[in-house]
Amino acid sequence: MKANRLILFFLLALTLFSCKKDEEENPAKVTIVFTGEDNWNTVKNGDYLKVNVSVDFESSSQGLSVETVECFLGNRKIASSKGSKCEVQYKIENAPIGVHQFRAEALTTAPGFDKTLAAGYYEINVEN
């Protein structure tokens, strides 16, 4: 009898935790777009990285609302904006030659979805 109660308790706990996990993992679809002049992602030390980051609402979840967009070069935040667009004009100084990761994060909400932190990535080439 105790074994049956223990098994029943275990199954109930497993069901509750698995449902909670499903509820927490319901992200909205968010499409992040990077636009700039030709070869915007190739820069030299002393030049400016110039790019516009935005959320494409047509290819994202319906009813999406964007709270903020933040942009990072490596782990350094270089720009942020409230709303769905962020304009980046960041001077590259003393960066090692080579490929660096540029990341944009959008904090969003949408009806029927959990609050979502979505990220888009681009490679930035630093040249001599």
Short mmCIF file of all heavy atoms in Angstrom, two decimals, residues 39-94:
data_model
loop_
_atom_site.label_atom_id
_atom_site.label_comp_id
_atom_site.label_asym_id
_atom_site.label_seq_id
_atom_site.Cartn_x
_atom_site.Cartn_y
_atom_site.Cartn_z
N ASN A 39 28.83 45.71 -47.23
CA ASN A 39 29.98 45.32 -46.40
C ASN A 39 30.01 46.04 -45.05
O ASN A 39 31.08 46.32 -44.53
CB ASN A 39 31.30 45.53 -47.14
CG ASN A 39 31.38 44.67 -48.39
OD1 ASN A 39 30.97 43.51 -48.37
ND2 ASN A 39 31.89 45.24 -49.46
N TRP A 40 28.87 46.33 -44.49
CA TRP A 40 28.81 47.01 -43.20
C TRP A 40 29.52 46.23 -42.11
O TRP A 40 29.98 46.80 -41.13
CB TRP A 40 27.38 47.32 -42.78
CG TRP A 40 26.55 46.11 -42.47
CD1 TRP A 40 25.71 45.45 -43.32
CD2 TRP A 40 26.50 45.39 -41.24
NE1 TRP A 40 25.13 44.39 -42.70
CE2 TRP A 40 25.60 44.32 -41.41
CE3 TRP A 40 27.12 45.54 -40.00
CZ2 TRP A 40 25.31 43.40 -40.41
CZ3 TRP A 40 26.83 44.63 -38.99
CH2 TRP A 40 25.92 43.58 -39.20
N ASN A 41 29.61 44.91 -42.28
CA ASN A 41 30.19 44.07 -41.24
C ASN A 41 31.71 43.92 -41.36
O ASN A 41 32.31 43.13 -40.64
CB ASN A 41 29.52 42.70 -41.21
CG ASN A 41 29.74 41.93 -42.50
OD1 ASN A 41 29.71 42.49 -43.58
ND2 ASN A 41 29.94 40.64 -42.37
N THR A 42 32.34 44.68 -42.26
CA THR A 42 33.80 44.71 -42.35
C THR A 42 34.26 46.12 -42.00
O THR A 42 33.87 47.08 -42.66
CB THR A 42 34.27 44.33 -43.77
OG1 THR A 42 33.81 43.00 -44.05
CG2 THR A 42 35.78 44.37 -43.88
N VAL A 43 35.06 46.22 -40.93
CA VAL A 43 35.51 47.53 -40.45
C VAL A 43 37.00 47.48 -40.12
O VAL A 43 37.58 46.41 -39.98
CB VAL A 43 34.72 47.98 -39.19
CG1 VAL A 43 33.28 48.24 -39.53
CG2 VAL A 43 34.84 46.97 -38.08
N LYS A 44 37.59 48.66 -39.99
CA LYS A 44 38.99 48.80 -39.58
C LYS A 44 39.02 49.53 -38.25
O LYS A 44 38.09 50.26 -37.91
CB LYS A 44 39.77 49.59 -40.62
CG LYS A 44 39.86 48.92 -41.96
CD LYS A 44 40.60 49.77 -42.96
CE LYS A 44 40.63 49.06 -44.31
NZ LYS A 44 41.33 49.81 -45.31
N ASN A 45 40.08 49.32 -37.48
CA ASN A 45 40.25 50.09 -36.25
C ASN A 45 40.24 51.58 -36.61
O ASN A 45 40.88 52.00 -37.57
CB ASN A 45 41.55 49.70 -35.55
CG ASN A 45 41.39 48.45 -34.72
OD1 ASN A 45 40.55 48.39 -33.84
ND2 ASN A 45 42.19 47.43 -35.02
N GLY A 46 39.49 52.35 -35.85
CA GLY A 46 39.33 53.77 -36.12
C GLY A 46 38.07 54.09 -36.90
O GLY A 46 37.63 55.23 -36.92
N ASP A 47 37.47 53.08 -37.56
CA ASP A 47 36.22 53.27 -38.30
C ASP A 47 35.03 52.96 -37.39
O ASP A 47 35.18 52.39 -36.31
CB ASP A 47 36.16 52.34 -39.51
CG ASP A 47 37.11 52.74 -40.63
OD1 ASP A 47 37.63 53.88 -40.60
OD2 ASP A 47 37.34 51.91 -41.53
N TYR A 48 33.85 53.34 -37.88
CA TYR A 48 32.62 53.08 -37.14
C TYR A 48 31.89 51.87 -37.70
O TYR A 48 31.77 51.73 -38.92
CB TYR A 48 31.68 54.29 -37.20
CG TYR A 48 32.08 55.39 -36.27
CD1 TYR A 48 33.02 56.35 -36.67
CD2 TYR A 48 31.55 55.47 -34.99
CE1 TYR A 48 33.40 57.35 -35.80
CE2 TYR A 48 31.92 56.48 -34.12
CZ TYR A 48 32.85 57.42 -34.53
OH TYR A 48 33.23 58.42 -33.68
N LEU A 49 31.44 51.01 -36.80
CA LEU A 49 30.51 49.95 -37.15
C LEU A 49 29.14 50.61 -37.21
O LEU A 49 28.68 51.19 -36.22
CB LEU A 49 30.52 48.85 -36.08
CG LEU A 49 29.45 47.77 -36.20
CD1 LEU A 49 29.63 46.97 -37.50
CD2 LEU A 49 29.50 46.84 -35.00
N LYS A 50 28.52 50.60 -38.40
CA LYS A 50 27.22 51.24 -38.59
C LYS A 50 26.23 50.21 -39.09
O LYS A 50 26.40 49.66 -40.19
CB LYS A 50 27.32 52.38 -39.61
CG LYS A 50 28.23 53.51 -39.17
CD LYS A 50 28.31 54.57 -40.26
CE LYS A 50 29.30 55.66 -39.88
NZ LYS A 50 29.43 56.67 -40.94
N VAL A 51 25.23 49.94 -38.27
CA VAL A 51 24.21 48.95 -38.64
C VAL A 51 22.90 49.30 -37.95
O VAL A 51 22.89 49.85 -36.85
CB VAL A 51 24.67 47.52 -38.28
CG1 VAL A 51 24.93 47.38 -36.80
CG2 VAL A 51 23.68 46.48 -38.75
N ASN A 52 21.81 49.01 -38.62
CA ASN A 52 20.48 49.16 -38.03
C ASN A 52 19.94 47.76 -37.73
O ASN A 52 19.99 46.86 -38.57
CB ASN A 52 19.53 49.88 -39.00
CG ASN A 52 19.96 51.32 -39.20
OD1 ASN A 52 20.19 52.04 -38.24
ND2 ASN A 52 20.08 51.74 -40.44
N VAL A 53 19.45 47.61 -36.52
CA VAL A 53 18.88 46.34 -36.08
C VAL A 53 17.39 46.57 -35.84
O VAL A 53 17.01 47.56 -35.22
CB VAL A 53 19.56 45.86 -34.77
CG1 VAL A 53 18.93 44.58 -34.28
CG2 VAL A 53 21.05 45.70 -34.98
N SER A 54 16.56 45.68 -36.36
CA SER A 54 15.12 45.82 -36.16
C SER A 54 14.47 44.45 -36.09
O SER A 54 15.05 43.44 -36.48
CB SER A 54 14.50 46.64 -37.30
OG SER A 54 14.72 46.01 -38.53
N VAL A 55 13.25 44.43 -35.58
CA VAL A 55 12.45 43.21 -35.53
C VAL A 55 11.51 43.23 -36.72
O VAL A 55 10.83 44.22 -36.97
CB VAL A 55 11.67 43.12 -34.21
CG1 VAL A 55 10.71 41.95 -34.23
CG2 VAL A 55 12.63 43.02 -33.03
N ASP A 56 11.49 42.14 -37.47
CA ASP A 56 10.59 42.00 -38.61
C ASP A 56 9.26 41.43 -38.10
O ASP A 56 9.18 40.24 -37.80
CB ASP A 56 11.22 41.07 -39.66
CG ASP A 56 10.35 40.87 -40.88
OD1 ASP A 56 9.23 41.40 -40.92
OD2 ASP A 56 10.80 40.16 -41.80
N PHE A 57 8.26 42.28 -38.01
CA PHE A 57 6.97 41.86 -37.45
C PHE A 57 6.22 40.91 -38.37
O PHE A 57 5.47 40.06 -37.90
CB PHE A 57 6.10 43.09 -37.13
CG PHE A 57 6.62 43.86 -35.95
CD1 PHE A 57 7.37 45.01 -36.13
CD2 PHE A 57 6.35 43.44 -34.66
CE1 PHE A 57 7.85 45.72 -35.05
CE2 PHE A 57 6.83 44.14 -33.57
CZ PHE A 57 7.58 45.29 -33.76
N GLU A 58 6.42 41.01 -39.68
CA GLU A 58 5.70 40.15 -40.61
C GLU A 58 6.10 38.68 -40.47
O GLU A 58 5.27 37.80 -40.67
CB GLU A 58 5.91 40.62 -42.05
CG GLU A 58 5.18 41.90 -42.36
CD GLU A 58 5.29 42.30 -43.82
OE1 GLU A 58 5.62 41.44 -44.66
OE2 GLU A 58 5.05 43.48 -44.11
N SER A 59 7.36 38.40 -40.13
CA SER A 59 7.80 37.01 -40.00
C SER A 59 7.94 36.57 -38.55
O SER A 59 8.46 35.51 -38.27
CB SER A 59 9.10 36.79 -40.77
OG SER A 59 10.11 37.62 -40.26
N SER A 60 7.47 37.39 -37.62
CA SER A 60 7.49 37.06 -36.20
C SER A 60 6.08 36.66 -35.76
O SER A 60 5.13 36.76 -36.52
CB SER A 60 7.97 38.26 -35.38
OG SER A 60 9.30 38.59 -35.72
N SER A 61 5.96 36.22 -34.50
CA SER A 61 4.65 35.82 -33.97
C SER A 61 3.67 36.99 -34.04
O SER A 61 4.03 38.15 -33.85
CB SER A 61 4.80 35.37 -32.52
OG SER A 61 5.53 34.18 -32.45
N GLN A 62 2.41 36.65 -34.29
CA GLN A 62 1.37 37.67 -34.40
C GLN A 62 1.17 38.38 -33.07
O GLN A 62 1.19 37.77 -32.00
CB GLN A 62 0.06 37.01 -34.84
CG GLN A 62 -1.00 37.98 -35.24
CD GLN A 62 -2.19 37.29 -35.87
OE1 GLN A 62 -2.38 36.09 -35.74
NE2 GLN A 62 -3.00 38.05 -36.56
N GLY A 63 1.01 39.69 -33.13
CA GLY A 63 0.76 40.49 -31.93
C GLY A 63 2.01 40.78 -31.12
O GLY A 63 1.92 41.23 -29.98
N LEU A 64 3.17 40.56 -31.71
CA LEU A 64 4.44 40.75 -31.01
C LEU A 64 4.62 42.21 -30.61
O LEU A 64 4.32 43.12 -31.37
CB LEU A 64 5.60 40.32 -31.92
CG LEU A 64 6.97 40.25 -31.26
CD1 LEU A 64 7.06 39.00 -30.39
CD2 LEU A 64 8.06 40.19 -32.33
N SER A 65 5.12 42.41 -29.40
CA SER A 65 5.46 43.75 -28.90
C SER A 65 6.90 43.69 -28.41
O SER A 65 7.28 42.74 -27.71
CB SER A 65 4.52 44.12 -27.76
OG SER A 65 4.89 45.34 -27.19
N VAL A 66 7.70 44.68 -28.78
CA VAL A 66 9.12 44.69 -28.42
C VAL A 66 9.35 45.74 -27.35
O VAL A 66 9.01 46.91 -27.53
CB VAL A 66 10.01 44.98 -29.66
CG1 VAL A 66 11.48 44.96 -29.27
CG2 VAL A 66 9.73 43.97 -30.76
N GLU A 67 9.93 45.32 -26.23
CA GLU A 67 10.24 46.25 -25.14
C GLU A 67 11.57 46.94 -25.39
O GLU A 67 11.66 48.15 -25.32
CB GLU A 67 10.27 45.50 -23.81
CG GLU A 67 8.91 44.99 -23.38
CD GLU A 67 8.96 44.25 -22.06
OE1 GLU A 67 9.91 44.44 -21.28
OE2 GLU A 67 8.02 43.46 -21.81
N THR A 68 12.62 46.16 -25.66
CA THR A 68 13.95 46.72 -25.88
C THR A 68 14.72 45.90 -26.90
O THR A 68 14.45 44.72 -27.11
CB THR A 68 14.79 46.74 -24.58
OG1 THR A 68 14.94 45.39 -24.11
CG2 THR A 68 14.17 47.60 -23.51
N VAL A 69 15.70 46.57 -27.51
CA VAL A 69 16.70 45.91 -28.34
C VAL A 69 18.06 46.36 -27.83
O VAL A 69 18.29 47.56 -27.66
CB VAL A 69 16.55 46.28 -29.84
CG1 VAL A 69 17.67 45.67 -30.67
CG2 VAL A 69 15.19 45.83 -30.38
N GLU A 70 18.92 45.39 -27.54
CA GLU A 70 20.27 45.69 -27.07
C GLU A 70 21.27 45.02 -28.02
O GLU A 70 21.03 43.90 -28.47
CB GLU A 70 20.49 45.19 -25.65
CG GLU A 70 19.62 45.89 -24.64
CD GLU A 70 19.88 45.44 -23.22
OE1 GLU A 70 20.28 44.27 -23.00
OE2 GLU A 70 19.69 46.27 -22.31
N CYS A 71 22.38 45.71 -28.28
CA CYS A 71 23.39 45.20 -29.21
C CYS A 71 24.73 45.05 -28.50
O CYS A 71 25.12 45.91 -27.71
CB CYS A 71 23.53 46.15 -30.40
SG CYS A 71 21.98 46.30 -31.34
N PHE A 72 25.43 43.98 -28.82
CA PHE A 72 26.69 43.64 -28.18
C PHE A 72 27.74 43.31 -29.23
O PHE A 72 27.45 42.68 -30.25
CB PHE A 72 26.52 42.40 -27.30
CG PHE A 72 25.50 42.55 -26.21
CD1 PHE A 72 24.15 42.37 -26.47
CD2 PHE A 72 25.88 42.89 -24.92
CE1 PHE A 72 23.20 42.51 -25.46
CE2 PHE A 72 24.95 43.02 -23.91
CZ PHE A 72 23.60 42.84 -24.19
N LEU A 73 28.97 43.72 -28.97
CA LEU A 73 30.13 43.29 -29.76
C LEU A 73 30.95 42.45 -28.80
O LEU A 73 31.48 42.99 -27.81
CB LEU A 73 30.92 44.48 -30.30
CG LEU A 73 32.05 44.12 -31.27
CD1 LEU A 73 31.51 43.36 -32.48
CD2 LEU A 73 32.77 45.37 -31.72
N GLY A 74 31.01 41.15 -29.04
CA GLY A 74 31.55 40.25 -28.04
C GLY A 74 30.61 40.31 -26.84
O GLY A 74 29.40 40.19 -26.99
N ASN A 75 31.16 40.55 -25.66
CA ASN A 75 30.33 40.65 -24.45
C ASN A 75 30.07 42.09 -24.03
O ASN A 75 29.48 42.34 -22.99
CB ASN A 75 31.00 39.89 -23.29
CG ASN A 75 30.95 38.41 -23.50
OD1 ASN A 75 29.97 37.88 -24.02
ND2 ASN A 75 32.01 37.72 -23.13
N ARG A 76 30.52 43.06 -24.83
CA ARG A 76 30.35 44.48 -24.49
C ARG A 76 29.09 45.03 -25.14
O ARG A 76 28.91 44.98 -26.36
CB ARG A 76 31.55 45.27 -24.99
CG ARG A 76 31.40 46.78 -24.76
CD ARG A 76 32.58 47.52 -25.27
NE ARG A 76 33.67 47.22 -24.32
CZ ARG A 76 34.87 47.77 -24.40
NH1 ARG A 76 35.15 48.62 -25.37
NH2 ARG A 76 35.78 47.48 -23.51
N LYS A 77 28.19 45.60 -24.29
CA LYS A 77 27.00 46.25 -24.83
C LYS A 77 27.43 47.55 -25.48
O LYS A 77 28.08 48.37 -24.86
CB LYS A 77 25.98 46.53 -23.74
CG LYS A 77 24.68 47.08 -24.32
CD LYS A 77 23.59 47.49 -23.39
CE LYS A 77 23.52 46.97 -22.04
NZ LYS A 77 22.35 47.47 -21.27
N ILE A 78 27.05 47.72 -26.76
CA ILE A 78 27.48 48.91 -27.49
C ILE A 78 26.32 49.82 -27.89
O ILE A 78 26.54 50.95 -28.31
CB ILE A 78 28.32 48.54 -28.73
CG1 ILE A 78 27.53 47.68 -29.71
CG2 ILE A 78 29.62 47.84 -28.31
CD1 ILE A 78 28.24 47.43 -31.04
N ALA A 79 25.09 49.33 -27.75
CA ALA A 79 23.92 50.16 -28.08
C ALA A 79 22.68 49.52 -27.48
O ALA A 79 22.62 48.31 -27.30
CB ALA A 79 23.76 50.31 -29.59
N SER A 80 21.68 50.36 -27.19
CA SER A 80 20.39 49.84 -26.73
C SER A 80 19.30 50.85 -27.08
O SER A 80 19.58 52.03 -27.28
CB SER A 80 20.41 49.55 -25.24
OG SER A 80 20.59 50.73 -24.52
N SER A 81 18.10 50.34 -27.14
CA SER A 81 16.98 51.19 -27.53
C SER A 81 15.69 50.60 -26.98
O SER A 81 15.53 49.38 -26.93
CB SER A 81 16.93 51.25 -29.06
OG SER A 81 15.76 51.86 -29.50
N LYS A 82 14.77 51.46 -26.61
CA LYS A 82 13.42 51.01 -26.28
C LYS A 82 12.66 50.91 -27.60
O LYS A 82 12.82 51.76 -28.46
CB LYS A 82 12.73 51.99 -25.33
CG LYS A 82 13.36 52.02 -23.96
CD LYS A 82 12.52 52.83 -23.01
CE LYS A 82 13.21 52.97 -21.68
NZ LYS A 82 12.94 51.93 -20.76
N GLY A 83 11.88 49.88 -27.75
CA GLY A 83 11.14 49.69 -28.99
C GLY A 83 11.80 48.66 -29.87
O GLY A 83 12.68 47.92 -29.44
N SER A 84 11.39 48.62 -31.12
CA SER A 84 11.77 47.53 -32.02
C SER A 84 12.96 47.82 -32.92
O SER A 84 13.31 46.98 -33.75
CB SER A 84 10.57 47.16 -32.89
OG SER A 84 10.21 48.27 -33.70
N LYS A 85 13.59 48.99 -32.80
CA LYS A 85 14.72 49.33 -33.67
C LYS A 85 15.87 49.87 -32.84
O LYS A 85 15.67 50.55 -31.84
CB LYS A 85 14.31 50.38 -34.70
CG LYS A 85 13.25 49.91 -35.64
CD LYS A 85 12.87 50.99 -36.62
CE LYS A 85 11.75 50.47 -37.52
NZ LYS A 85 11.36 51.44 -38.51
N CYS A 86 17.09 49.58 -33.30
CA CYS A 86 18.29 50.09 -32.64
C CYS A 86 19.30 50.48 -33.72
O CYS A 86 19.63 49.68 -34.59
CB CYS A 86 18.88 49.04 -31.71
SG CYS A 86 20.25 49.65 -30.70
N GLU A 87 19.75 51.72 -33.67
CA GLU A 87 20.76 52.20 -34.61
C GLU A 87 22.12 52.15 -33.92
O GLU A 87 22.30 52.75 -32.86
CB GLU A 87 20.45 53.62 -35.05
CG GLU A 87 21.41 54.15 -36.08
CD GLU A 87 21.05 55.56 -36.53
OE1 GLU A 87 19.85 55.89 -36.58
OE2 GLU A 87 21.99 56.32 -36.82
N VAL A 88 23.05 51.44 -34.53
CA VAL A 88 24.39 51.29 -33.96
C VAL A 88 25.38 52.12 -34.76
O VAL A 88 25.45 52.00 -35.99
CB VAL A 88 24.84 49.80 -33.98
CG1 VAL A 88 26.26 49.66 -33.45
CG2 VAL A 88 23.87 48.94 -33.19
N GLN A 89 26.13 52.96 -34.06
CA GLN A 89 27.27 53.68 -34.62
C GLN A 89 28.35 53.61 -33.56
O GLN A 89 28.39 54.45 -32.66
CB GLN A 89 26.90 55.11 -34.98
CG GLN A 89 25.96 55.18 -36.15
CD GLN A 89 25.85 56.60 -36.70
OE1 GLN A 89 26.74 57.42 -36.56
NE2 GLN A 89 24.74 56.85 -37.36
N TYR A 90 29.20 52.59 -33.67
CA TYR A 90 30.17 52.30 -32.63
C TYR A 90 31.58 52.34 -33.22
O TYR A 90 31.87 51.63 -34.19
CB TYR A 90 29.89 50.92 -32.03
CG TYR A 90 30.85 50.52 -30.95
CD1 TYR A 90 30.79 51.08 -29.68
CD2 TYR A 90 31.84 49.58 -31.21
CE1 TYR A 90 31.68 50.71 -28.69
CE2 TYR A 90 32.74 49.20 -30.23
CZ TYR A 90 32.65 49.77 -28.97
OH TYR A 90 33.53 49.41 -28.00
N LYS A 91 32.46 53.16 -32.64
CA LYS A 91 33.83 53.28 -33.13
C LYS A 91 34.65 52.08 -32.68
O LYS A 91 34.73 51.77 -31.48
CB LYS A 91 34.47 54.57 -32.62
CG LYS A 91 35.82 54.84 -33.26
CD LYS A 91 36.34 56.22 -32.90
CE LYS A 91 37.63 56.50 -33.64
NZ LYS A 91 38.13 57.85 -33.35
N ILE A 92 35.26 51.42 -33.64
CA ILE A 92 36.11 50.26 -33.37
C ILE A 92 37.50 50.78 -33.03
O ILE A 92 38.13 51.47 -33.84
CB ILE A 92 36.18 49.32 -34.59
CG1 ILE A 92 34.77 48.85 -35.01
CG2 ILE A 92 37.09 48.14 -34.32
CD1 ILE A 92 34.05 48.03 -33.99
N GLU A 93 37.97 50.47 -31.83
CA GLU A 93 39.29 50.93 -31.40
C GLU A 93 40.06 49.78 -30.76
O GLU A 93 39.53 49.10 -29.88
CB GLU A 93 39.16 52.07 -30.38
CG GLU A 93 38.55 53.32 -30.99
CD GLU A 93 38.47 54.46 -29.98
OE1 GLU A 93 37.80 54.28 -28.94
OE2 GLU A 93 39.09 55.49 -30.25
N ASN A 94 41.28 49.60 -31.20
CA ASN A 94 42.18 48.60 -30.62
C ASN A 94 41.60 47.20 -30.60
O ASN A 94 41.88 46.42 -29.70
CB ASN A 94 42.62 49.00 -29.20
CG ASN A 94 43.31 50.35 -29.19
OD1 ASN A 94 44.15 50.63 -30.04
ND2 ASN A 94 42.94 51.18 -28.24
#
